[in-house]
Amino acid sequence: MKVSEQWLREWVSPQLSTQGLADQITMAGLEVDAVEPVAADFTRVVVGEVVDKVQHPDADKLNVCQVQDGSGETVQVVCGAPNVAIGQRIPFAQVGAVLPGDFKIKKAKLRGVESFGMICSASELGLEEGTSEGILVLPDEAPVGTCLREYLNLDDHTIEVDLTPNRGDCLSVLGLAREVGVLNRLPLNAPEGLDVAVGHDETFPVRVEDGERCPRYIGRVIKGVDISAETPTWMVEHLRRSGIRAIDPAVDVTNYVMLELGQPLHAFDLANLDGAVVVRLARQGEELMLLDGQQVKLDAGTLIIADEKGPLAIAGVMGGEHSGVSTATRDIFLEGAFFTPLSVAGQARSYGLHTDASHRFERGVDPQMTRRAIERATQLLIDICGGEAGPLNEQVNDAHLPRGREVTLREERLAAALSKRLDNAEVAEILERLGMVVEMVDKGWTVKVPSWRFDISIEEDLIEEIARIHGYNRLPVRRPAVRLALEPEAESRTPLARLRRQMTARGYQEAITYSFVAPELQKTLLPEAKSPVLANPISADLSVMRASLFPGLIRALEHNLNRQQSRVRLFESGLVFRGELDDLEQIPMLGALVCGSQLPEGWTGGRDKVDFFDLKGDLESLLGVAGDASAWRFEPGEHPSLHPGQCARVLHRGQEAGWIGALHPAARAKLGLKAEAILFEVRLDALTEGRIPAFTPLSRYPEVRRDLAFVVAETTPVQALMDAVRSEAGEWLTDVALFDVYQGKGVADQHKSVALGLTWQHPSRTLNDEEINQLVDAIVTTARQRLQAELRA
């Protein structure tokens, strides 16, 4: 919210500098985002009067004007503005003036005619963004010769306050002034809130069909207004400094009262209303042309303002073009209402709208402010446009109006929360200054909350109010006294940080991607996956929760490839989400992706591309970190994201724990990826499950090694052969190593030679050849029976 410092000081003016005032507001919990001057610097610009105007002799679009600038002499000025006219009061930059942008005004000759100054537009003075269509015309009562900065009070600042959603009561000058007054123990100089004299008896029927969402609605007929009247300069400036452009008196007054009191209002052209004003829910298929020219199709359930013919406005959001006020309007129906926050919340966003009115109604408007705002707006309209006010037509549903709240505050709870005991009188005074009614009770206070403070409902809210008004910087600094005993760390679990260090040591970089992904991408990679769909996503391409780490890693790969990074090695840890909301499984996973060359570019490195076994080696190094690599197995499998011939299921103690493989060619083609990518993801709970280290005495006796080369079918997994070996090798087998795989001369077609090195060692004696030969014979027999494996000659 933006507010003029001068406007705020009209209500309450503490003896503080501009920065001091901004700092005080921030320390009270209402953060000031910016303090900016309301106008750029310029000098020697005064109020002038155009006393004569003739056509330039040599230019069709230029006029030669005579200007009175208060010096007693008439000054000749050449002006090209299309709207300059005799009798106007205008901003006049005298010779020697300096305009924004360090533009200096000098004597000049335009097409042979001398010019001694410049008649300025609003944009040339820095009062308007862009380029103004003509010169700035000042009110007729502007005193000639007066410094323009003084006349328009331009030595002012705009204070921009970033309010949290719970402080909707401060979305007005009244609310902000109330806070400043409380902080400085100053009364408010509020404008008089007298009821306007009623000049006629005409009312317009009002019917509220949804009293739950709109428990208060007030309407008034104002007859005989002149909308062509000029909005006063002081009001235009107040609006401009609050970031609102002046349009016409009816719109300007409703905007002004909204900024001043926090109550949004709306003015209808009475001639365009039919039958009665009805507050109801929209019917399916109804349409409304909004004031911004947008045609919207209303959803059933949207709260609207309508007449007997159809919709007039989206309640609390924006009015319709058909019923809006124009220069031809003579009679106005002025409305003010209290809409419950829940009835408006989300209503504006569902139509792609966000207005000042919806911003306030969503956060809560004072339900007792409606009548005061209507009276204030009526008086301002009559002062500017003339006319006569009719009686108020008020519809109230007391059952659904917010009720007064009482909150109990305990003295001991307050002292414990603040680490400081405040005097009871000070506590009561702070709460009373905040507009609350305080009653002292046994061991505390009973506090009646004012209607404008929607955010106060529990004891902690009152404690917060007392703390910020008393001053956070006046509260004692206490360090908590806690027992900092170290928590034992289970040796059987491997910390995630250690796994991250291992991946980094292998040349990977950690990626952190969103937990939600594009539905199309997830469907491409995981067509059968089920995960929650977001009701209100950040964007359309981040609308479903990820069922795998693969989509995020692939998006990160695309990002790198598009920036000429051909060698990519990424890993990520995080949750994946599988199932529907009522049966959702959240699984912590660790995944990785590689693409490009095996080694970084260099004169010693080759140019071989990374392959499945490179990533499998990295994964196996990760599995070994926990100290229980024997608990893991790799089996061929099929995964919709992975290449059918380069895909393996990762098993932990016989249970599926993850997948590894090359990205499926069909998925690559659909995603437009030209480079091959290899990925894995494994459950973190399995990765971090390790084995407690235990010492095994070293044997003093020699090892015995036998190398066996088996010829097996090409499709036989090496793991199956190693399992057969281990099943018959006995308890003294210490290692089985694969040291060669061969296909070619001497090996039958569609077969391969697999060479294994077997090592035995007994802890208490030397093994003899007879024992080893028996074990080898058993291994060969079992391999032949299970896998049709034969020893290679």
Side-chain angles (χ1 to χ4, degrees):
M1 173 189 165
K2 292 182 178 180
V3 64
S4 157
E5 180 188 355
Q6 287 184 0
W7 193 4
L8 179 60
R9 288 186 182 274
E10 290 173 11
W11 286 69
V12 58
S13 186
Q15 297 300 311
L16 294 170
S17 66
T18 301
Q19 190 59 50
L21 178 60
D23 291 343
Q24 186 183 65
I25 294 172
T26 295
M27 288 304 297
L30 311 175
E31 183 179 356
V32 173
D33 269 356
V35 178
E36 298 176 345
V38 300
D41 288 335
F42 57 83
T43 60
R44 296 198 63 179
V45 179
V46 300
V47 177
E49 180 181 5
V50 180
V51 296
D52 191 24
K53 181 187 85 167
V54 296
Q55 179 71 42
H56 190 290
D58 293 325
D60 294 338
K61 295 185 178 180
L62 297 179
N63 296 296
V64 181
C65 302
Q66 303 299 321
V67 176
Q68 284 281 2
D69 63 355
S71 63
E73 296 182 2
T74 301
V75 182
Q76 179 171 289
V77 180
V78 177
C79 178
N83 64 327
V84 66
I86 296 174
Q88 288 175 336
R89 302 290 170 93
I90 42 83
F92 178 63
Q94 300 169 320
V95 173
V98 180
L99 300 185
D102 198 28
F103 180 65
K104 298 178 181 178
I105 303 300
K106 303 176 183 178
K107 288 191 294 184
K109 187 175 285 188
L110 301 174
R111 295 285 185 94
V113 177
E114 289 186 318
S115 180
F116 300 90
M118 177 177 172
I119 302 175
C120 302
S121 67
S123 59
E124 289 165 339
L125 295 172
L127 301 179
E128 185 176 282
E129 294 183 1
T131 303
S132 302
E133 295 181 357
I135 60 171
L136 175 62
V137 180
L138 301 174
D140 293 340
E141 62 271 14
V144 175
T146 303
C147 173
L148 186 71
R149 296 194 73 89
E150 294 178 4
Y151 173 67
L152 294 179
N153 293 317
L154 295 180
D155 293 324
D156 184 16
H157 293 84
T158 293
I159 300 175
E160 185 173 355
V161 184
D162 184 16
L163 298 171
T164 51
N166 65 313
R167 290 310 305 271
D169 62 295
C170 290
L171 285 168
S172 64
V173 179
L174 167 61
L176 205 54
R178 189 189 288 130
E179 289 289 306
V180 175
V182 169
L183 294 169
N184 295 280
R185 291 182 167 85
L186 294 174
L188 299 186
N189 300 316
E192 293 185 8
L194 300 177
D195 292 348
V196 177
V198 174
H200 64 84
D201 296 332
E202 184 176 337
T203 61
F204 195 76
V206 172
R207 187 170 72 253
V208 179
E209 295 183 357
D210 194 334
E212 181 178 352
R213 296 189 180 190
C214 178
R216 169 167 280 143
Y217 188 95
I218 302 178
R220 162 176 272 164
V221 174
I222 306 174
K223 298 178 68 68
V225 296
D226 179 12
I227 300 300
S228 63
E230 289 289 331
T231 303
T233 302
W234 61 266
M235 184 177 288
V236 172
E237 278 297 298
H238 279 329
L239 294 174
R240 181 182 72 82
R241 297 174 198 189
S242 298
I244 295 178
R245 181 173 59 89
I247 298 175
D248 61 53
V251 175
D252 296 344
V253 164
T254 55
N255 282 335
Y256 179 85
V257 173
M258 178 184 68
L259 293 172
E260 182 182 66
L261 301 179
Q263 170 69 56
L265 303 172
H266 188 68
F268 295 100
D269 187 334
L270 185 64
N272 292 330
L273 302 183
D274 183 71
V277 167
V278 185
V279 183
R280 62 171 174 85
L281 297 181
R283 303 182 183 104
Q284 196 66 41
E286 287 187 313
E287 294 187 357
L288 175 65
M289 176 70 76
L290 297 173
L291 283 171
D292 62 359
Q294 180 182 350
Q295 182 84 17
V296 295
K297 187 171 290 186
L298 299 172
D299 297 325
T302 298
L303 189 66
I304 64 169
I305 311 299
D307 61 8
E308 300 297 350
K309 287 184 178 179
L312 301 173
I314 301 177
V317 180
M318 186 181 290
E321 189 177 76
H322 164 70
S323 59
V325 173
S326 67
T327 53
T329 299
R330 291 295 171 263
D331 301 323
I332 285 176
F333 180 75
L334 182 65
E335 73 156 18
F338 171 72
F339 302 110
T340 57
L342 287 178
S343 69
V344 181
Q347 190 160 278
R349 285 189 294 275
S350 67
Y351 294 101
L353 301 170
H354 181 79
T355 64
D356 290 324
S358 68
H359 188 76
R360 285 163 173 79
F361 279 123
E362 287 176 356
R363 285 153 178 77
V365 170
D366 183 359
Q368 305 302 324
M369 182 57 67
T370 315
R371 177 185 287 269
R372 178 179 172 184
I374 285 279
E375 295 287 2
R376 174 69 168 153
T378 301
Q379 187 61 63
L380 289 170
L381 276 169
I382 291 174
D383 291 345
I384 298 169
C385 305
E388 292 182 332
L392 295 178
N393 184 357
E394 183 172 7
Q395 305 294 316
V396 181
N397 188 325
D398 291 321
H400 292 104
L401 273 176
R403 299 185 179 279
R405 282 154 293 153
E406 282 193 0
V407 181
T408 299
L409 174 62
R410 294 166 292 167
E411 185 177 347
E412 292 302 321
R413 178 72 183 91
L414 176 64
L418 302 185
S419 295
K420 181 178 182 179
R421 189 172 292 277
L422 301 183
D423 185 74
N424 288 350
E426 181 183 358
V427 173
E429 184 212 10
I430 289 174
L431 295 174
E432 287 170 353
R433 279 164 35 214
L434 287 165
M436 305 181 195
V437 178
V438 183
E439 180 183 349
M440 189 76 183
V441 295
D442 184 35
K443 298 182 180 180
W445 301 266
T446 297
V447 181
K448 292 183 179 178
V449 182
S451 59
W452 61 84
R453 290 304 300 268
F454 286 91
D455 59 314
I456 297 178
S457 58
I458 59 176
E459 185 177 32
E460 283 71 17
D461 297 331
L462 293 176
I463 294 172
E464 179 187 2
E465 292 299 298
I466 292 169
R468 68 184 189 86
I469 301 302
H470 177 73
Y472 293 123
N473 54 353
R474 295 174 60 191
L475 296 177
V477 176
R478 299 273 179 87
R479 291 177 176 83
V482 295
R483 294 175 61 89
L484 298 179
L486 296 176
E487 291 188 9
E489 184 174 312
E491 287 189 84
S492 61
R493 306 298 300 182
T494 302
L496 176 58
R498 189 174 173 192
L499 300 178
R500 286 176 172 147
R501 288 197 298 270
Q502 177 69 11
M503 293 300 289
T504 303
R506 304 283 293 192
Y508 288 78
Q509 291 181 310
E510 184 170 11
I512 300 175
T513 65
Y514 284 111
S515 296
F516 17 87
V517 297
E520 303 81 18
L521 175 61
Q522 181 148 294
K523 189 171 182 180
T524 298
L525 298 173
L526 305 161
E528 303 298 326
K530 291 183 179 180
S531 62
V533 179
L534 301 182
N536 189 22
I538 296 174
S539 61
D541 59 348
L542 295 171
S543 60
V544 297
M545 303 302 291
R546 65 187 179 191
S548 166
L549 297 180
F550 288 169
L553 289 170
I554 288 172
R555 277 284 179 254
L557 171 65
E558 290 177 335
H559 185 84
N560 280 273
L561 293 177
N562 291 339
R563 286 154 182 80
Q564 293 79 49
Q565 301 299 312
S566 58
R567 185 175 187 269
V568 180
R569 300 171 75 84
L570 298 172
F571 79 95
E572 180 179 14
S573 61
L575 292 174
V576 300
F577 307 85
R578 295 173 182 169
E580 302 297 344
L581 275 177
D582 54 355
D583 187 27
L584 183 63
E585 187 179 11
Q586 302 183 55
I587 310 169
M589 305 287 285
L590 189 144
L593 176 149
V594 292
C595 176
S597 60
Q598 288 179 338
L599 300 172
E601 184 178 8
W603 68 274
T604 60
R607 296 177 178 237
D608 293 340
K609 295 290 185 183
V610 71
D611 61 19
F612 174 91
F613 295 102
D614 293 317
L615 184 65
K616 183 172 180 283
D618 291 334
L619 176 55
E620 287 177 330
S621 79
L622 200 63
L623 304 180
V625 168
D628 196 14
S630 61
W632 295 87
R633 291 172 59 87
F634 294 84
E635 290 185 353
E638 291 186 3
H639 188 281
S641 303
L642 304 177
H643 194 298
Q646 299 182 49
C647 173
R649 179 186 289 106
V650 184
L651 302 177
H652 179 254
R653 304 192 189 282
Q655 301 295 317
E656 182 181 304
W659 290 87
I660 180 172
L663 183 62
H664 199 293
R668 278 180 52 206
K670 195 167 184 179
L671 296 173
L673 282 175
K674 296 181 180 179
E676 287 190 7
I678 306 161
L679 314 90
F680 77 72
E681 68 171 351
V682 182
R683 293 179 65 112
L684 261 179
D685 54 358
L687 271 177
T688 56
E689 181 183 329
R691 180 175 59 188
I692 298 176
F695 175 70
T696 301
L698 300 178
S699 175
R700 294 180 299 167
Y701 298 92
E703 295 178 341
V704 179
R705 173 171 171 139
R706 293 285 189 273
D707 292 343
L708 303 176
F710 291 96
V711 176
V712 295
E714 185 179 21
T715 57
T716 301
V718 173
Q719 184 67 56
L721 182 60
M722 295 178 77
D723 289 343
V725 168
R726 284 195 174 94
S727 68
E728 299 295 335
E731 59 180 312
W732 304 316
L733 181 74
T734 59
D735 187 35
V736 179
L738 170 68
F739 65 88
D740 184 52
V741 177
Y742 171 75
Q743 286 181 283
K745 186 177 180 181
V747 177
D749 290 343
Q750 297 182 349
H751 285 70
K752 62 185 175 184
S753 170
V754 178
L756 302 177
L758 283 67
T759 303
W760 288 271
Q761 187 177 33
H762 199 284
S764 58
R765 64 181 177 83
T766 301
L767 294 170
N768 57 51
D769 288 343
E770 183 180 350
E771 292 174 308
I772 298 301
N773 290 338
Q774 288 177 357
L775 294 173
V776 168
D777 291 343
I779 289 170
V780 171
T781 300
T782 300
R784 182 182 298 114
Q785 292 173 350
R786 291 188 188 178
L787 306 172
Q788 291 76 51
E790 298 291 343
L791 280 178
R792 183 178 171 190

